[in-house]
Amino acid sequence: MVRLRAARLTARARLTLLQTALVLAAGAALTGLTYLLMRRHTFFTHLDRSGTDPSGTPPPTPTAVDLQAFANRVQTATLSALLPQAGLALIVVTALAAVLGWVVAGRVLGPIRVISSTARRLSAENLTERVPVTSPADELSALAGTVNDMLDRIQRGLFERDRVLDSQRLFTANAAHELRTPLTTARTAIDVTLDGHPSRAELLAMAGDVRGSVEHMQRVLDGLLLLARSQAGLAAREPVDLAAVAAAALDAAGARAAAAGVAVRSELRPAQVSGEPVLLERMIGNLVDNAVRYNVAGGRLVVDTGTAGGRAILRISNTGRPVPPGEAETLLEPFVHGQGTRVRTDGLGLGLSIVRAVTLAHRGRIAVAARTGGGLDITIDFPQNPVTKDARSQDIDSLQEMVLP
């Protein structure tokens, strides 16, 4: 029963009891020590023989036994008077210590009560309130600062969680729509063709439509798999020269660029990075492919590589339709072709989102800017000497920024 009651005591009451007990113990020890010292102390008496009794006869000389008995009586009387007085003083001091301990404990625990009440008021819907930081700087102000830092991280984490969940829902809806379109096309071609007695030519036309739909779905799925792979982190790193990769991508797109009337100019200086060659090849291939696909007849495509400030830099600039400045960054989101929304074109809308995911997986930075007169200017830079970590820890800081956006 005593233990249960003790467990219900507040921290202020426990601190008060502790301080009072310490004062009581110290006072009792001081009183006991004083009593023992008084017992060990030898009492001396002084015999004054100058006085006389009324008859004029000098008082008799006391014997040693009488003097010792008298000293013992004085010591006993002194010790008897010491204990009650010391006990009374100890009670007064203990009571005063209890009052002062209660007041001091309340002042010391005041900031903690504020922190506790603030924490109780907080919820997932209200994380804007912060614990007041007292001065001067001490352990309690450090505790308040730590709690505020924790609340800041929680608030940022919840905001990022909501943003990622919204992006995932949008990504899922867009991916489902992108896959549903070719499925609907194939289903319609089959239903229309088989409604009756189709000829060989009609069956061949239906097969072509179905084949085209399947190829479209395969491209979408390949893009999604590559996007997921780039977000999962790098399994291994190898030295890669961005200049060589860009040269290969330009060679592969040379025929398409010539057919579209796009003039290609490049200045490829060595730009060594450490990364996964397949992902970097796909990243630069997507950039070149987009620059050619969304260019204009008689337009230009400029590709530069090099190094600056200890970072490898890739820049791709192309002419094209005018892009509003605020819309350029939205093109990095999946299934966005323009105007910040899904627009049906001959592309999949995954090219630049894959570029961003690969960039972040390699701890790089990407900047997309709309060019005056139309087109985009995309600059990507990578650290030339990244810190080597395992595949999971290496990319953990980038996961929240990756696409899904």
Side-chain angles (χ1 to χ4, degrees):
M1 191 67 178
V2 174
R3 298 177 67 180
L4 289 177
R5 289 179 180 175
R8 294 173 187 159
L9 292 176
T10 63
R12 184 178 187 182
R14 290 197 297 271
L15 281 176
T16 303
L17 289 177
L18 177 60
Q19 295 176 22
T20 304
L22 290 176
V23 172
L24 179 61
L30 179 60
T31 302
L33 181 61
T34 303
Y35 183 83
L36 291 177
L37 291 176
M38 291 292 290
R39 282 182 60 89
R40 294 171 60 89
H41 182 71
T42 302
F43 284 79
F44 295 93
T45 59
H46 175 70
L47 178 63
D48 186 4
R49 304 187 60 184
S50 60
T52 59
D53 59 10
S55 62
T57 303
T61 302
T63 64
V65 176
D66 294 335
L67 291 176
Q68 182 63 44
F70 177 73
N72 291 338
R73 287 195 301 271
V74 171
Q75 183 183 36
T76 302
T78 302
L79 293 177
S80 299
L82 173 66
L83 287 178
Q85 298 298 326
L88 179 60
L90 183 58
I91 292 174
V92 173
V93 171
T94 302
L96 182 61
V99 174
L100 293 178
W102 179 263
V103 174
V104 172
R107 293 182 62 85
V108 171
L109 295 176
I112 297 180
R113 287 197 300 270
V114 173
I115 295 174
S116 177
S117 61
T118 302
R120 281 196 300 269
R121 287 194 301 270
L122 294 176
S123 63
E125 290 74 26
N126 176 26
L127 289 174
T128 58
E129 189 176 357
R130 292 296 179 266
V131 177
V133 180
T134 59
S135 59
D138 55 14
E139 290 81 358
L140 293 177
S141 62
L143 174 62
T146 301
V147 172
N148 288 338
D149 292 341
M150 179 187 67
L151 292 174
D152 290 337
R153 290 193 296 272
I154 292 174
Q155 188 174 22
R156 288 194 299 268
L158 290 176
F159 174 80
E160 186 65 22
R161 180 205 64 181
D162 293 339
R163 187 184 69 82
V164 170
L165 289 178
D166 290 341
S167 299
Q168 286 178 340
R169 284 191 288 267
L170 178 62
F171 181 89
T172 302
N174 286 333
H177 186 86
E178 194 73 27
L179 291 172
R180 186 177 63 181
T181 300
L183 286 173
T184 302
T185 302
R187 176 69 179 270
T188 301
I190 294 173
D191 290 343
V192 171
T193 303
L194 297 182
D195 186 15
H197 302 282
S199 63
R200 176 181 174 81
E202 291 174 334
L203 290 175
L204 290 176
M206 177 195 71
D209 292 339
V210 172
R211 181 186 179 88
S213 298
V214 171
E215 289 176 348
H216 182 81
M217 287 187 290
Q218 185 175 3
R219 290 197 302 272
V220 172
L221 291 175
D222 287 343
L224 292 175
L225 289 174
L226 184 64
L227 186 62
R229 177 185 173 187
S230 62
Q231 293 173 350
L234 306 182
R237 288 182 180 270
E238 300 177 16
V240 179
D241 188 358
L242 296 182
V245 177
L250 290 175
D251 289 342
R256 288 187 289 109
V262 176
V264 178
R265 182 178 66 83
S266 62
E267 186 174 351
L268 305 178
R269 295 182 294 273
Q272 289 285 338
V273 298
S274 178
E276 190 166 343
V278 175
L279 292 181
L280 292 171
E281 290 169 5
R282 185 61 182 269
M283 179 196 74
I284 297 179
N286 282 1
L287 288 171
V288 172
D289 180 71
N290 275 15
V292 174
R293 183 188 301 273
Y294 299 108
N295 217 308
V296 294
R300 298 185 308 278
L301 167 60
V302 180
V303 181
D304 297 329
T305 61
T307 59
R311 300 183 73 87
I313 299 175
L314 167 70
R315 180 181 178 186
I316 295 183
S317 178
N318 67 283
T319 54
R321 71 169 182 84
V323 179
E327 182 184 307
E329 287 290 337
T330 65
L331 297 176
L332 296 175
E333 299 177 6
F335 303 108
V336 173
H337 299 275
Q339 308 299 329
T341 58
R342 254 184 106 266
V343 178
R344 287 297 306 160
T345 68
D346 56 346
L348 301 178
L350 289 172
L352 291 182
S353 62
I354 291 174
V355 169
R356 181 173 71 170
V358 174
T359 300
L360 294 176
H362 288 79
R363 296 191 172 275
R365 300 176 298 196
I366 181 170
V368 181
R371 297 181 68 256
T372 303
L376 294 174
D377 190 346
I378 300 177
T379 302
I380 301 174
D381 63 90
F382 300 99
Q384 289 186 278
N385 298 306
V387 178
T388 302
K389 300 180 180 179
D390 61 273
R392 281 189 173 274
S393 62
Q394 190 173 36
D395 302 294
I396 190 66
D397 295 334
S398 302
L399 287 177
Q400 292 184 345
E401 299 177 10
M402 285 184 178
V403 177
L404 310 176

